[in-house]
Amino acid sequence: MSHPHPELGPPPPLPEGGLRIVPLGGLGEIGRNMAVFEFDGRLLIVDCGVLFPEPDQPGVDLILPDFEYIRDRLDDVEALVLTHAHEDHIGAVPYLLRERRNIPLIGSKLTLALIEAKLGEHRIQPTKVEVVEGERHVFGPFDCEFFAVNHSIPDALAVAIRTPAGIVLHTGDFRMDQLPSDGRLTDLGGFARLGSEGVDLLMSDSTNAEVPGFVTSEREIGPVIDEVIRTSEQRVIVASFASHVHRIQQVMDAAARHGRKVALVGRSMVRNMGVARDLGYLKVPPQLIVDSRDIEEWPPEDVVLICTGSQGEPMAALSRMANRDHPIRIAEGDTVLLASSLVPGNETAVNKVINGLTRWGARVVHKGNAKVHVSGHAAAGELLYVLNLTRPSNFMPVHGEWRHLRAHAKLAALTGVPEDHIVIAEDGVVVDLVDGRAKIVGAVHAGYVYVDGSSVGEITDTSLKDRRILGDEGFISVVVVVDSNTGKLTAGPEIHARGSGIDPAQFDEFIPQIERALAEKAADGVVDMQEIRRVVRRTVGRWVSDTYRRRPMIIPVVVEV
């Protein structure tokens, strides 16, 4: 198997007639999906998503792909193909369009409608090309054919990209539910036809490559949701992804059957379900929906609330309810249904929310104690099925952490793909398809770009390290005034501490040590302010470490007179 090496250098020029693939996100992580295809000097992008921050990235709202690789070549971009409307595939589109607003967005009706609603908040009017499964569209040298795939959001697509270098099939996110609630099956016949034509490179969803067998059908979830709503004596609060139209439909249908009204809570939930209803993807029974602001007027046994926050996001509606920081107050006897899978890394946040809800007397139903969610990603049995249908000459697992990519690569080897034709790449690794062979040829920078409030890319890894230190250890500032000519101390030291856990009275005993250290440097003729700052920092740091076994951030402030 071909895989990246830490010493990979910049890629060579793309050989004539070759196709270059550069993943800028989504490999080695769940999220931030983005791949750039290059042929004959022109570019095609597939997906442009975000990654949600981990607890060790304090203050970060979103993480974007790094656009630096294509920033000087944005005029070469023929189109941006969006496989579906989940945030990890479309969330970064507004930030890319800030750099070139007229990049054509290619996608299905629902995908484009949801991204247009999102772009409206950024005051961007996109250039759109709506496509449906079975169609072929040409964008520069890229001949794209679209295939229906079943996923946890309607209207998802796979795309086959034809160039003179060969055929690449990018599955997007998919599963093979044989009884989908919307009746839209993954187009296995189309995949087989493409396999007969000859797939030169298969890029396939790896998220569930470690899970054996086939995923449970979406239809098996409906009766469970119905039972939860039927047996609940008070309010039912359902937390789901704001894009999971199928799940919201099941909840609404169950609520209508049992005579309950439904209120949508959360801006993204209201926006997305409004779009889905207007386009006919969400069927809402008459008089079912009520305004969430009027929900307290209804008897609790007649109400179902649908909100965001199933991943424990601190600012989402459900987390705020758990923290008693929301107009809707959790009461004894309420039932909370977490109707979503758990995104890796969110376990602690979700458990905190569950505990908070339980504290106020709610019964919490989740994937751990009831069958209330099925994955939107194909398990190993389905992945093997697609590999056997398409019979690719080369294989590149995408969309997954390292363990998922490697598990998927092993499946490909089992189906007969030669191991030296299996490419395990990571973000930034450059893969060239030349003369029917896919090989790693180099790497480009594809680091994290952090969104913090209104700032994009201004926060660095060093900034986050400082934030972690401040959050874990606090800080100590030391102000000294020195003579700029002699380096001698003329006033201070004055010490202030926050969050360090150190008694300020202890500093009085330590101040003479700082004075001695500065006097020694002055005697040696040191007048450089940078060196004096280092002396203060080292002296204070050594004392705190030896005395308290702590490592707070130390901020020396040297004033010259």
Side-chain angles (χ1 to χ4, degrees):
M1 296 180 188
S2 177
H3 58 84
H5 192 275
E7 281 76 39
L8 281 174
L14 177 61
E16 186 176 350
L19 176 67
R20 174 159 289 175
I21 303 107
V22 183
L24 296 181
L27 274 65
E29 61 198 1
I30 302 291
R32 217 170 59 115
N33 296 283
M34 182 177 182
V36 179
F37 296 80
E38 177 180 355
F39 184 85
D40 195 23
R42 307 301 293 174
L43 305 178
L44 180 77
I45 302 172
V46 174
D47 290 330
C48 187
V50 295
L51 179 68
F52 294 102
E54 304 262 346
D56 64 348
Q57 294 163 327
V60 174
D61 299 317
L62 298 170
I63 304 171
L64 310 179
D66 189 344
F67 302 142
E68 189 60 35
Y69 172 67
I70 59 172
R71 184 160 280 122
D72 294 335
R73 302 188 57 192
L74 289 173
D75 288 340
D76 296 334
V77 176
E78 295 286 352
L80 167 55
V81 174
L82 302 171
T83 58
H84 63 285
H86 279 152
E87 285 295 300
D88 60 335
H89 292 259
I90 68 168
V93 172
Y95 300 93
L96 180 62
L97 294 192
R98 285 182 188 180
E99 308 206 16
R100 182 189 150 196
R101 291 188 169 236
N102 65 342
I103 295 176
L105 304 183
I106 318 302
S108 63
K109 179 189 292 187
L110 180 63
T111 300
L112 292 180
L114 291 177
I115 189 60
E116 186 172 25
K118 175 186 288 290
L119 288 170
E121 298 178 0
H122 292 258
R123 298 179 182 176
I124 296 174
Q125 183 61 43
T127 302
K128 302 179 298 178
V129 178
E130 184 181 315
V131 298
V132 298
E133 55 264 27
E135 290 184 348
R136 287 176 69 164
H137 294 258
V138 176
F139 309 103
F142 306 99
D143 180 349
C144 297
E145 182 177 1
F146 298 92
F147 300 84
V149 291
N150 181 254
H151 188 42
S152 53
I153 187 172
D155 254 10
L157 296 169
V159 58
I161 303 168
R162 291 178 170 85
T163 68
I167 299 175
V168 177
L169 173 59
H170 192 303
T171 66
D173 290 0
F174 80 101
R175 65 183 172 194
M176 286 166 49
D177 189 342
Q178 299 303 297
L179 294 170
S181 55
D182 62 357
R184 189 171 179 270
L185 295 163
T186 293
D187 187 2
L188 300 180
F191 284 1
R193 172 178 54 76
L194 207 62
S196 298
E197 186 177 341
V199 174
D200 295 281
L201 176 64
L202 173 64
M203 300 171 67
S204 183
D205 176 9
S206 305
T207 311
N208 276 345
E210 293 182 306
V211 179
F214 286 62
V215 296
T216 304
S217 173
E218 189 78 36
R219 293 199 181 195
E220 294 190 23
I221 306 303
V224 181
I225 293 174
D226 187 273
E227 180 69 8
V228 169
I229 293 176
R230 185 185 68 80
T231 58
S232 297
E233 298 179 355
Q234 301 289 325
R235 287 181 304 186
V236 178
I237 300 166
V238 180
S240 175
F241 291 120
S243 57
H244 203 331
V245 179
H246 299 143
R247 186 72 71 249
I248 306 305
Q249 184 71 69
Q250 290 173 318
V251 173
M252 286 188 173
D253 290 346
R257 277 193 297 271
H258 299 291
R260 291 182 181 245
K261 297 295 183 181
V262 172
L264 301 175
V265 181
R267 185 181 64 175
S268 59
M269 180 67 72
V270 172
R271 180 191 68 199
N272 288 359
M273 291 309 110
V275 170
R277 180 181 55 196
D278 292 344
L279 295 180
Y281 293 92
L282 184 70
K283 306 294 191 297
V284 182
Q287 284 80 52
L288 180 72
I289 300 290
V290 296
D291 194 303
S292 61
R293 290 170 294 189
D294 303 328
I295 206 67
E296 298 295 340
E297 299 176 9
W298 291 86
E301 65 272 15
D302 293 342
V303 169
V304 173
L305 297 167
I306 303 176
C307 68
T308 55
S310 61
Q311 300 303 306
E313 305 96 314
M315 296 307 294
L318 193 66
S319 294
R320 293 173 57 204
M321 291 179 200
N323 294 330
R324 278 289 201 261
D325 182 31
H326 194 278
I328 295 169
R329 313 283 280 185
I330 298 294
E332 187 79 32
D334 285 347
T335 297
V336 178
L337 173 61
L338 301 181
S340 65
S341 61
L342 193 58
V343 174
N346 291 347
E347 294 86 356
T348 301
V350 172
N351 287 332
K352 182 178 178 182
V353 170
I354 291 174
N355 280 317
L357 295 167
T358 306
R359 176 188 180 191
W360 306 118
R363 173 174 71 117
V364 182
V365 182
H366 54 86
K367 190 178 179 182
N369 58 24
K371 188 179 285 187
V372 292
H373 183 74
V374 296
S375 177
H377 301 271
E382 298 158 79
L383 299 177
L384 286 168
Y385 207 102
V386 169
L387 281 159
N388 285 323
L389 278 177
T390 56
R391 301 189 302 277
S393 302
N394 300 273
F395 176 68
M396 180 175 169
V398 296
H399 197 293
E401 298 173 349
W402 269 102
R403 59 197 178 101
H404 307 130
L405 302 180
R406 289 201 176 277
H408 204 173
K410 289 180 181 178
L411 295 176
L414 289 173
T415 64
V417 180
E419 292 210 358
D420 59 348
H421 287 233
I422 298 173
V423 177
I424 304 179
E426 61 182 328
D427 296 344
V429 168
V430 179
V431 177
D432 283 358
L433 179 63
V434 180
D435 296 329
R437 181 76 180 275
K439 291 183 180 179
I440 289 173
V441 297
V444 301
H445 183 71
Y448 284 179
V449 174
Y450 300 107
V451 177
D452 182 358
S454 61
S455 74
V456 179
E458 296 176 18
I459 300 300
T460 63
D461 288 328
T462 301
S463 305
L464 290 180
K465 181 180 178 182
D466 289 346
R467 288 181 178 183
R468 287 193 292 270
I469 293 171
L470 286 168
D472 295 339
E473 304 282 354
F475 77 93
I476 297 173
S477 65
V478 185
V479 182
V480 297
V481 182
V482 299
D483 188 311
S484 59
N485 295 316
T486 65
K488 290 183 178 180
L489 186 68
T490 62
E494 186 177 317
I495 304 179
H496 303 274
R498 290 289 185 275
S500 64
I502 300 173
D503 183 357
Q506 300 297 316
F507 292 133
D508 293 338
E509 301 176 10
F510 170 62
I511 284 174
Q513 292 185 38
I514 303 176
E515 293 171 340
R516 283 196 299 272
L518 291 176
E520 289 173 5
K521 286 297 179 181
D524 292 338
V526 174
V527 295
D528 179 65
M529 294 300 115
Q530 194 65 31
E531 178 61 25
I532 291 172
R533 289 189 188 93
R534 279 195 289 267
V535 171
V536 174
R537 183 182 290 111
R538 280 198 300 265
T539 305
V540 176
R542 190 180 303 115
W543 175 76
V544 173
S545 178
D546 293 345
T547 307
Y548 294 95
R549 295 292 187 268
R550 295 182 66 83
R551 301 188 65 177
M553 180 175 290
I554 297 165
I555 307 172
V557 180
V558 179
V559 180
E560 300 178 70
V561 295

